[in-house]
Amino acid sequence: MALEITAARPDPALLDLPWRIPLEEWPEDILAALPRGISRHVVRFVRLSGRVLAVKEIKADLARREYELLRNLNRLGMPCVEPFAVISGRVGADGRELDACLVTRHLQFSLPYRALYSQTLRKGTATRLIDALAVLLVRLHLAGFWWGDVSLSNTLFRRDAGAFAAYLVDAETGELRQRLSDGQREHDLDIARINIAGELMDLEAGGLLQEDRDPVAVSERIMTRYRELWGELTGPELIDDGERWRVEDRMRRLNALGFDVDELEITTDLDGTSIRIQPKVVDAGHHSRRLLRLTGLDVRENQARRLLNDLDAFTAATGRQGEDEEIVAHEWLTRIYEPVTRRVPRGLVAKLEPAELFHEVLEHRWYLAERARHDIPIEQAIDDYVASVLPGKPDEQSVLGVDTRELPVIAGPNAQP
Amino acid sequence: MAQRTLTTGGKGAVARVPIDPPARHTGDTADTDVGGSFTLYNGSSGTFLPVKEGNDVMATVKFDQASRIYPGNDTPSVDRLDIDVADGEFLVLVGPSGCGKSTSLRMLAGLEEVNDGKIWIGDRDVTDLSPKDRDVAMVFQNYALYPHMTVADNMGFALKIAGVDKGEIRKRVQEAAGILDLTDYLERKPKALSGGQRQRVAMGRAIVRSPQVFLMDEPLSNLDAKLRVQTRTQIASLQRRLGVTTVYVTHDQIEAMTMGDRIALLKDGILQQCATPREMYDRPNNVFVAGFIGSPAMNLVSVPVTEDGVQFGSHRLHVDRSLLGSSGNEVIVGMRPEDVEVTTNEDGLELIVDVVEELGADAYVYATPANPDIRLEGVGDDALAKPFIARVDGRRVPDKGSKIFVYPNPDHMHVFDKESGARLG
């Protein structure tokens, strides 16, 4: 059987990887990180043409299915890992057929939840992760994706101006539908709650849960956060004819949550005394789209919100409110954002992404100013931050962990009958 | 006093072990009262299983003309499905990909809308109930164990989330561990267990919730062949020990044959036959069932109808004309590989031997009709000519390339209508 590579943009270097060897036995010198823990499937990280790839060994039909699903999710603009290739038709040196491999790109600056818990945590990290997962789940459900195995293990997190943004990593159990029924959404939520509670209880049992929070209570939060957000994004609202400002108000509330309304359904009752409004199509990324349009910076939603606030402050401070927004934004970019983010010495760039660094510098400036009881210029804040805070941060550009560290029950090479 | 019982006997001989009722929990998890007859705690992981008192209701399942039409489709994905599953029965839904078996299971689980008809669990109409109020458990949906938690905690943690009190959790975990032969391992970590024991822990996670019905959707699909065989035996024997009504979906007819008390075979959303494995094998309702059940598959050949039967090559087979009734000039005759008479006496259908598969005591002969106009019917890839398969004595095996003649053993042959595919007689 011939080795078969399915990829949108195949990299010839893929052929150099040792596909005739079972993934579990790949030599350490090609791995980007040593394997840790046990995963449901064998997963390894390799470095190839300057990027890090995650390779998962899995049955060929499942690999192809997941590859297609991830491609479709990417097309829909969903936050998830990017599929890179499927390698099938593998034959071992002994002539035995080997399972196929699904290759995905490693998401830079992403953190598995276990890595977050092994760091000294800021208070409330557990709940911030849940909040990020709730947003991800709502977005996936709006797009018609039925996940089937929602968990912290199947999610990666990126810092997002003090909060987190969640990305789907494992789509193995997922299905893309036209629209999800309430039962299907509830099913995902139910699975999410049990998995999160189990994952946190496991950390607790392993002495890794630093915050004194009840795992069950934290897991309940996925339900409430999800329902709040889902209700705000999709729920109908009845308003009196004299309260038309509330239509505008609803749009603003959705914007504040980071969503744009692409389609709003407005129906009036027969005598015209009340109006029913219901968002039909909503699109995440309100702030990040606006920032992208103004500055060309492609960052996450909360980072964009933070940067836009700083842009507003800059506009006000320089008395440019009446001017063309794009021109002021360009000036802010070249006078403030770029000089600040370029101030980081080469040796420290793997610590944080530029936008997150900028957010941290703004935070740092606020603390400095509070202590000094007067305003601190951003130049001074960045210098102080680089000197005193940044060196102590862990490198987060390529934190690699297996997708899940749980024990395989049925599948997997470790399961000895 | 309300008593909760956990069923532990096999089918027919059901022993019910009374358990003290759980203390009503006062935590902040939501309780859902259904019908006021028992308390339901909110569902669980891929298991949707509420935990309740008074689980001694009959857990029958009934698909009553249940249909599912996906938006934008003209034809239903599940078309007026009628199946009655008995209390404690292991029913397997089987069929090729796209036949509607998973959709049917999900309709029962509450994950797929029922557009027409009804679904009953016991005497409850669950058609419009939410998944978690149906008291069904999707087993194996996520089969991960947590490495830092003990086996007992791995089995019982979902009950904790449901707000069941500690004493009650301990009791149920111990009982499930007894059934699963895990009592000595309860305080160990999963890492110390064998693969088989880990599987049982995962089953224990569902068992402690004591659902009315277990649902399993291709739970073995990503296992390698060896583990698949072991696990399917374990699941089947455990199900018989627990006596919990189970609906199991697979595309694999061998899995269906070996596991199910009864099998429901679907094609294009329509139920073809629902019967015991033996009945499906011996008396398939139609050509599709005949070709799907059994491995290697039944040989199906179109043959001309004669005055007193059918003409099978040069061999005349007597078939009661009344059975052939209104069938046209041709019918389809089916015979299993073990029911084929093989001869070199120019009596029967002439075949050329392609391959002989030696199995020791027996051998399978794969052959093609000498007359290229004769094609074998049946399920599968129509582009490929299907071979005729006969099981022969391992000591008298024809040579590859040789000419043989075959006809069916008249006591074990099947006759189907050429047009409708329906069984005749």
Side-chain angles (χ1 to χ4, degrees):
Chain A
M1 196 156 51
L3 195 68
E4 193 182 313
I5 299 184
T6 312
R9 278 161 294 160
D11 180 345
L14 267 177
L15 290 167
D16 298 337
L17 291 171
W19 300 113
R20 292 170 70 86
I21 304 175
L23 188 55
E24 214 181 5
E25 295 161 19
W26 279 20
E28 278 178 19
D29 59 326
I30 61 163
L31 301 183
L34 292 183
R36 292 182 306 161
I38 309 159
S39 132
R40 187 179 299 170
H41 302 285
V42 183
V43 177
R44 294 290 181 269
F45 294 96
V46 295
R47 224 173 266 285
L48 188 83
S49 313
R51 58 181 152 237
V52 175
L53 301 173
V55 185
K56 170 161 90 168
E57 204 166 64
I58 181 176
K59 292 216 175 306
D61 52 336
L62 297 178
R64 274 190 212 105
R65 194 177 162 279
E66 190 173 354
Y67 177 82
E68 280 309 318
L69 212 45
L70 287 172
R71 270 174 64 107
N72 285 331
L73 287 172
N74 268 289
R75 265 186 218 125
L76 291 169
M78 290 295 118
C80 63
V81 291
E82 199 186 320
F84 191 68
V86 172
I87 318 289
S88 54
R90 295 171 65 211
V91 178
D94 57 358
R96 217 160 34 97
E97 277 181 35
L98 296 173
D99 273 347
C101 282
L102 172 69
V103 186
T104 51
R105 272 172 207 270
H106 171 67
L107 198 61
Q108 283 207 341
F109 289 100
S110 66
L111 302 162
Y113 81 104
R114 280 171 193 266
L116 282 163
Y117 280 99
S118 66
Q119 297 175 4
T120 324
L121 281 186
R122 272 177 59 192
K123 234 182 149 36
T125 299
T127 52
R128 273 196 289 271
L129 294 183
I130 305 297
D131 292 356
L133 186 51
V135 174
L136 174 64
L137 194 56
V138 166
R139 287 186 63 185
L140 291 169
H141 282 177
L142 285 171
F145 183 74
W146 188 13
W147 193 339
D149 196 10
V150 191
S151 68
L152 293 169
S153 311
N154 287 340
T155 311
L156 281 175
F157 297 91
R158 274 172 159 174
R159 296 191 185 279
D160 186 10
F164 291 98
Y167 292 76
L168 173 139
V169 195
D170 189 319
E172 206 181 305
T173 48
E175 271 174 49
L176 208 45
R177 300 284 188 102
Q178 203 118 49
R179 183 190 143 263
L180 296 188
S181 71
D182 290 348
Q184 288 161 345
R185 293 190 301 108
E186 283 296 316
H187 180 73
D188 262 1
L189 257 190
D190 202 41
I191 287 175
R193 183 174 66 139
I194 298 280
N195 280 343
I196 291 167
E199 285 163 331
L200 295 179
M201 282 180 196
D202 187 53
L203 290 179
E204 196 179 40
L208 296 166
L209 195 61
Q210 290 170 352
E211 282 179 85
D212 189 22
R213 291 289 305 265
D214 173 20
V216 175
V218 176
S219 73
E220 302 266 310
R221 189 178 171 92
I222 188 79
M223 318 279 274
T224 47
R225 291 296 293 172
Y226 174 94
R227 292 203 173 109
E228 277 166 24
L229 189 55
W230 184 267
E232 189 64 77
L233 290 179
T234 66
E237 195 174 359
L238 219 55
I239 58 180
D240 283 345
D241 193 35
E243 301 177 304
R244 294 188 176 205
W245 56 273
R246 284 179 58 188
V247 178
E248 180 70 19
D249 186 52
R250 177 71 180 263
M251 310 271 254
R252 275 181 208 277
R253 282 197 330 258
L254 290 173
N255 287 165
L257 287 167
F259 287 80
D260 279 325
V261 182
D262 287 349
E263 225 179 290
L264 187 76
E265 190 182 75
I266 302 182
T267 38
T268 51
D269 58 2
L270 280 178
D271 57 3
T273 52
S274 68
I275 301 172
R276 184 176 174 279
I277 53 172
Q278 182 168 23
K280 279 288 160 199
V281 185
V282 292
D283 212 358
H286 171 73
H287 298 96
S288 65
R289 261 196 302 278
R290 181 161 167 245
L291 186 74
L292 183 69
R293 181 174 59 79
L294 289 174
T295 64
L297 289 176
D298 191 1
V299 304
R300 282 181 278 294
E301 185 63 14
N302 286 323
Q303 291 169 340
R305 203 186 298 246
R306 192 75 212 260
L307 264 48
L308 285 168
N309 282 344
D310 195 60
L311 171 61
D312 284 347
F314 174 82
T315 311
T318 50
R320 315 276 293 274
Q321 287 94 329
E323 283 184 37
D324 190 4
E325 215 182 6
E326 273 89 351
I327 293 170
V328 186
H330 182 73
E331 204 172 312
W332 169 84
L333 188 69
T334 51
R335 278 181 50 190
I336 308 286
Y337 182 81
E338 286 179 344
V340 164
T341 50
R342 282 197 194 127
R343 230 31 183 250
V344 179
R346 192 176 272 276
L348 299 181
V349 290
K351 302 274 184 191
L352 285 177
E353 286 173 288
E356 192 65 17
L357 175 102
F358 192 82
H359 155 75
E360 291 245 324
V361 171
L362 291 179
E363 291 280 286
H364 189 66
R365 181 173 67 168
W366 188 85
Y367 285 113
L368 290 179
E370 194 194 33
R371 214 180 308 150
R373 305 211 147 269
H374 60 76
D375 281 351
I376 301 288
I378 191 127
E379 294 78 10
Q380 188 186 332
I382 176 73
D383 289 342
D384 192 70
Y385 182 82
V386 166
S388 63
V389 182
L390 195 58
K393 294 237 169 215
D395 279 6
E396 291 188 347
Q397 186 167 17
S398 318
V399 177
L400 306 176
V402 286
D403 59 348
T404 148
R405 292 181 96 191
E406 276 116 47
L407 289 169
V409 169
I410 298 182
N414 299 300
Q416 298 299 322
Chain B
M1 185 179 81
Q3 270 195 335
R4 212 190 125 266
T5 55
L6 196 97
T7 314
T8 57
K11 234 180 68 175
V14 175
R16 287 179 190 280
V17 184
I19 299 172
D20 290 337
R24 294 274 320 217
H25 83 285
T26 49
D28 50 5
T29 37
D31 269 7
T32 325
D33 271 319
V34 170
S37 56
F38 42 70
T39 311
L40 289 177
Y41 298 95
N42 252 340
S44 72
S45 140
T47 67
F48 281 131
L49 348 210
V51 178
K52 72 208 165 291
E53 303 167 39
N55 186 14
D56 40 11
V57 248
M58 288 288 280
T60 55
V61 169
K62 185 180 177 68
F63 287 91
D64 181 8
Q65 297 278 303
S67 296
R68 170 72 179 137
I69 305 173
Y70 283 109
N73 283 9
D74 298 334
T75 50
S77 296
V78 173
D79 194 357
R80 285 164 294 169
L81 184 62
D82 259 327
I83 301 178
D84 278 296
V85 188
D87 187 27
E89 187 177 18
F90 194 126
L91 181 95
V92 179
L93 294 172
V94 69
S97 137
C99 72
K101 55 191 186 298
S102 277
T103 307
S104 305
L105 189 82
R106 288 169 173 186
M107 288 159 77
L108 173 57
L111 300 174
E112 208 65 79
E113 238 173 276
V114 178
N115 301 105
D116 207 5
K118 291 204 177 305
I119 293 180
W120 299 78
I121 295 176
D123 50 9
R124 287 190 303 152
D125 176 357
V126 299
T127 317
D128 298 316
L129 282 189
S130 85
K132 64 173 185 288
D133 295 333
R134 294 189 179 205
D135 200 8
V136 298
M138 284 281 231
V139 186
F140 289 133
Q141 214 151 39
N142 31 7
Y143 34 68
L145 298 184
Y146 298 105
H148 298 116
M149 281 156 52
T150 61
V151 167
D153 286 344
N154 264 294
M155 276 165 67
F157 81 94
L159 293 181
K160 192 171 163 192
I161 298 163
V164 180
D165 79 89
K166 275 187 184 162
E168 172 67 17
I169 295 176
R170 197 162 45 235
K171 201 171 282 180
R172 290 204 209 169
V173 165
Q174 267 177 348
E175 194 175 75
I179 297 168
L180 295 162
D181 294 325
L182 288 170
T183 308
D184 295 340
Y185 301 92
L186 282 177
E187 291 315 309
R188 299 204 196 166
K189 300 284 167 62
K191 211 173 186 166
L193 303 187
S194 71
Q197 288 166 331
R198 288 180 198 165
Q199 290 167 36
R200 299 211 292 276
V201 177
M203 292 187 210
R205 227 173 112 174
I207 292 170
V208 295
R209 311 294 302 250
S210 171
Q212 277 192 294
V213 184
F214 283 132
L215 306 181
M216 307 192 195
D217 191 354
E218 303 257 11
L220 312 180
S221 59
N222 57 359
L223 302 193
D224 64 42
K226 192 176 149 208
L227 211 52
R228 196 153 58 216
V229 172
Q230 281 170 355
T231 311
R232 94 180 171 217
T233 318
Q234 276 194 344
I235 292 177
S237 82
L238 180 72
Q239 193 274 339
R240 278 168 184 87
R241 283 167 76 184
L242 287 168
V244 175
T245 313
T246 301
V247 181
Y248 184 105
V249 164
T250 179
H251 67 281
D252 179 349
Q253 63 92 17
I254 297 181
E255 229 168 274
M257 291 291 279
T258 50
M259 297 180 82
D261 290 325
R262 276 191 310 152
I263 300 173
L265 175 56
L266 282 90
K267 184 195 166 212
D268 301 334
I270 296 169
L271 181 65
Q272 305 292 308
Q273 188 170 4
C274 182
T276 63
R278 178 47 60 192
E279 266 178 274
M280 299 286 265
Y281 194 80
D282 287 346
R283 279 188 69 80
N285 260 354
N286 59 39
V287 170
F288 179 78
V289 179
F292 192 87
I293 298 289
S295 175
M298 183 187 285
N299 300 295
L300 295 159
V301 190
S302 268
V303 297
V305 173
T306 63
E307 251 166 47
D308 62 344
V310 297
Q311 186 73 38
F312 198 85
S314 58
H315 191 87
R316 277 191 176 222
L317 289 160
H318 174 76
V319 180
D320 200 336
R321 277 302 308 212
S322 65
L323 289 181
L324 299 178
S326 60
S327 285
N329 297 331
E330 289 201 330
V331 289
I332 295 173
V333 165
M335 75 224 75
R336 303 239 171 244
E338 65 270 27
D339 300 324
V340 177
E341 305 289 345
V342 180
T343 154
T344 46
N345 296 344
E346 307 222 345
D347 181 17
L349 183 65
E350 187 181 347
L351 303 172
I352 308 293
V353 177
D354 298 323
V355 179
V356 177
E357 200 177 82
E358 300 270 11
L359 298 171
D362 305 316
Y364 281 113
V365 175
Y366 293 79
T368 9
N371 176 357
D373 293 342
I374 298 177
R375 281 176 67 93
L376 282 104
E377 321 266 336
V379 202
D381 188 348
D382 289 327
L384 293 173
K386 271 177 260 312
F388 190 100
I389 306 168
R391 194 177 76 187
V392 298
D393 186 331
R395 295 202 178 81
R396 273 172 293 167
V397 173
D399 291 330
K400 196 176 152 187
S402 66
K403 198 190 278 183
I404 54 169
F405 292 84
V406 294
Y407 58 89
N409 173 343
D411 296 336
H412 296 286
M413 72 175 212
H414 312 259
V415 184
F416 304 100
D417 188 278
K418 170 96 175 167
E419 290 303 312
S420 68
R423 181 182 192 86
L424 300 170

